[in-house]
Amino acid sequence: MITHWMPAPHPDPGHWERGIREYCAALRAIYRRYPRALLVSLDERLGDQAIHRDRLIHTDAVLGMLRAVGLGVAEAQIVHRDLTLRVFGFVLLVDYRHDRGEPVMEHTPVPPPWLRAHPDVAVPHLREAAAAAPLMTVDEAFEQVVHGLIVTVRDLMATTRNP
């Protein structure tokens, strides 16, 4: 269990994009230090008291910022769920493997060893992608994931009004 939670977010509705980037980076950093904590939370039944109180406070602060920039309650919850899935998924599927020295998919849609293991499979687009220069670093890939979240917020802001 994580006994030290991340620093409190200070989401500023006037700089909400920066706030989202900082919050995502902080979540990534703590779960990158403790990647198995994400799996423990899935595999074991932890009592409600095992959840650090700051997790509630931080989530509330982010929801408050999203509400302040014009999202409704439902849209703010959608964004927070999307944020959580993006960050936790990235930590488990990319960072965890990268930090262990395993191949990850920040360069190609599938790890090149998979293609080498099946030279007879007709997958020309995957082979073309594998032969191309690396697209980005792991950190650049994370930034792209967060940018996609910000685009989602912008789209929701354009179509909803804060009641």
Side-chain angles (χ1 to χ4, degrees):
M1 172 176 37
I2 297 173
T3 56
H4 170 70
W5 195 240
M6 64 185 201
H10 299 288
D12 175 0
H15 298 96
W16 65 268
E17 290 184 26
R18 184 182 69 213
I20 286 176
R21 288 181 196 287
E22 289 173 355
Y23 183 66
C24 288
L27 279 178
R28 179 187 184 207
I30 195 152
Y31 283 111
R32 197 168 185 182
R33 280 189 304 234
Y34 307 104
R36 304 281 308 158
L38 291 169
L39 297 176
V40 167
S41 69
L42 296 174
D43 293 341
E44 297 182 16
R45 296 283 178 187
L46 300 175
D48 295 337
Q49 297 300 318
I51 302 303
H52 198 284
R53 64 189 291 279
D54 286 351
R55 182 141 186 222
L56 300 173
I57 294 166
H58 296 174
T59 301
D60 186 74
V62 172
L63 288 175
M65 177 189 66
L66 294 170
R67 294 283 287 132
V69 299
L71 297 185
V73 174
E75 291 79 17
Q77 290 180 74
I78 288 168
V79 169
H80 190 269
R81 182 175 48 241
D82 190 16
L83 180 154
T84 302
L85 290 171
R86 287 173 187 256
V87 174
F88 291 177
F90 194 90
V91 168
L92 288 174
L93 298 174
V94 179
D95 283 332
Y96 183 70
R97 289 184 170 125
H98 179 266
D99 293 344
R100 292 172 49 131
E102 298 175 10
V104 293
M105 296 182 283
E106 79 270 13
H107 301 298
T108 61
V110 299
W114 294 7
L115 295 173
R116 289 192 295 274
H118 300 283
D120 57 323
V121 176
V123 285
H125 304 292
L126 287 176
R127 295 191 192 288
E128 176 185 44
L135 296 176
M136 62 193 76
T137 67
V138 174
D139 291 335
E140 290 167 340
F142 183 75
E143 178 55 35
Q144 183 181 31
V145 165
V146 174
H147 178 73
L149 179 67
I150 288 170
V151 169
T152 298
V153 174
R154 285 184 197 144
D155 288 348
L156 288 169
M157 287 171 65
T159 59
T160 62
R161 292 190 311 199
N162 191 350

